[in-house]
Amino acid sequence: MGTYPSARLFRVLSLLQARRVWSGAELAARLGVTERTVRRDIDCLRELGYVIDSLTGTAGGYRLGAGNRLPPLQLEDTEAVAVAAALLTAGRVGEPATRALAKLEQVLPKRLQPNVSGLAANTVTLPGGQRESVDPVVLGALAAACRDHEILEFGYTRMDGTRRQRTVAPHHLIAGYGLWYLIGHDEDRADWRVFRVDRIREPLPNGRRFTPRTLPVTPEEYLRTALRDTPYPYTAQAVVDADAERVAGCLVAPQPWRVTELGEQRCRVRFGAVELDAILGEVLSIARLAVPMEIQGPPELAERLQGVVAVLTRSVHGR
């Protein structure tokens, strides 16, 4: 959330609401910033109309003014969606992030509340925190269409790099495995499809509404199946002498179907990627365990791995 200054202001307000008095040092420690930055944030909130008292002495610090009525939080449309997305994907924070999202909806201007509530109501979160950034304008448009049952038209870049125009009845957004996905019914193909949100461009309602269909399985299961069955340009597998849970914890994109237990201290890992470097990165991540591993894959992967090993060997020996 530190990427968005307005999001930090929201955190300052949340902290001031949670306790009567905070010292500048305490706020700085909670926010991961300097006390000077805290003072600037307090000044900014005062300029926005928030009454915040400064206390002196041993019990000095900051507190919300007595009887203070909080005005709406001043966020732009894209900032509101970005903050909501950050809270939704804050898996390690858990319940506090959920409470913060509820507070965000309460203090936002009425025109922005549907954007945030729509995103929260139509998003499923899975393991593997967000890795790739998404355009909050696109994310907000998809959430609104899911909420209002509006058919969208958008440009979509396929795995091979070609771009096609799609007409989709959006069903659900999913944040997981490092990415955002949209599950929707492709009106031209008369079937369900999964779309990566970072590959969607210019989603616009075409003026038609639809009656929501029922997915044959849960959104989570549909996404897992779609990812598992995707015909990736590059595939490989590795048999690793370590337990499945330990190996899965090393993967950059921890999709559940990738690791299969073969024994107490042995498992098989399947890799699929658009680029060979993605598989190389996963293999190197597992290599950190320093356990025996057998790799099967395209010759290019073996060449890349041998090259990396050679470079590392030279570096260790100082040559």
Side-chain angles (χ1 to χ4, degrees):
M1 294 177 63
T3 306
Y4 307 100
S6 295
R8 192 175 66 238
L9 295 183
F10 172 66
R11 289 195 63 197
V12 174
L13 283 173
S14 295
L15 292 172
L16 291 174
Q17 286 179 297
R19 204 169 82 188
R20 182 170 175 77
V21 177
W22 289 84
S23 70
E26 289 173 326
L27 287 174
R30 282 295 190 98
L31 298 168
V33 298
T34 65
E35 290 188 55
R36 182 178 179 183
T37 299
V38 169
R39 289 194 294 272
R40 287 201 302 264
D41 289 346
I42 295 295
D43 289 340
C44 183
L45 288 170
R46 286 169 174 161
E47 291 176 4
L48 292 172
Y50 295 88
V51 180
I52 301 175
D53 298 329
S54 294
L55 307 178
T56 58
T58 55
Y62 302 100
R63 73 179 178 191
L64 286 175
N68 188 46
R69 184 186 175 117
L70 294 181
L73 185 64
Q74 302 301 308
L75 290 178
E76 296 178 2
D77 295 32
T78 54
E79 290 176 327
V81 173
V83 174
L87 290 171
L88 284 168
T89 55
R92 294 185 179 181
V93 181
E95 182 61 27
T98 302
R99 294 199 304 270
L101 186 58
K103 291 180 181 178
L104 176 64
E105 293 184 42
Q106 294 173 4
V107 298
L108 281 173
K110 288 186 177 180
R111 67 178 181 83
L112 292 182
Q113 289 175 357
N115 291 2
V116 173
S117 61
L119 184 62
N122 294 283
T123 296
V124 174
T125 56
L126 299 176
Q130 185 180 354
R131 185 178 71 252
E132 298 293 335
S133 61
V134 292
D135 185 340
V137 174
V138 171
L139 199 59
L142 299 180
C146 288
R147 180 195 65 219
D148 299 334
H149 310 312
E150 293 184 308
I151 293 179
L152 288 175
E153 294 185 0
F154 54 77
Y156 188 71
T157 303
R158 296 166 22 133
M159 192 182 297
D160 60 6
T162 60
R163 179 171 171 172
R164 300 284 178 84
Q165 198 69 13
R166 312 298 283 267
T167 302
V168 176
H171 183 276
H172 243 88
L173 287 162
I174 297 184
Y177 313 133
L179 295 168
W180 280 83
Y181 298 92
L182 170 71
I183 294 179
H185 191 270
D186 192 313
E187 298 296 283
D188 295 326
R189 293 158 179 78
D191 200 2
W192 294 98
R193 290 290 188 272
V194 172
F195 304 93
R196 275 179 47 169
V197 173
D198 59 312
R199 294 179 180 172
I200 293 176
R201 295 292 179 270
E202 301 177 353
L204 294 172
N206 68 359
R208 294 165 49 205
R209 292 182 180 268
F210 63 91
T211 300
R213 299 174 176 85
T214 301
L215 268 174
V217 293
T218 64
E220 303 95 309
E221 184 59 33
Y222 187 84
L223 176 64
R224 291 190 184 101
T225 302
L227 293 177
R228 182 192 64 203
D229 296 341
T230 297
Y232 291 100
Y234 293 100
T235 59
Q237 71 173 22
V239 175
V240 187
D241 288 353
D243 68 86
E245 183 176 355
R246 188 181 175 199
V247 171
C250 295
L251 297 179
V252 177
Q255 296 172 15
W257 56 266
R258 289 192 166 185
V259 183
T260 304
E261 186 175 338
L262 299 179
E264 187 174 345
Q265 289 294 321
R266 194 171 175 83
C267 65
R268 176 182 292 108
V269 187
R270 294 173 56 197
F271 305 106
V274 177
E275 298 178 351
L276 193 63
D277 281 350
I279 296 180
L280 180 65
E282 297 281 26
V283 171
L284 292 176
S285 294
I286 298 174
R288 293 179 301 172
L289 296 176
V291 297
M293 176 169 46
E294 301 173 10
I295 303 170
Q296 296 178 353
E300 305 97 306
L301 178 62
E303 293 174 4
R304 293 295 303 279
L305 284 171
Q306 289 168 359
V308 170
V309 171
V311 170
L312 292 174
T313 302
R314 288 196 299 271
S315 299
V316 170
H317 290 291
R319 293 181 293 180

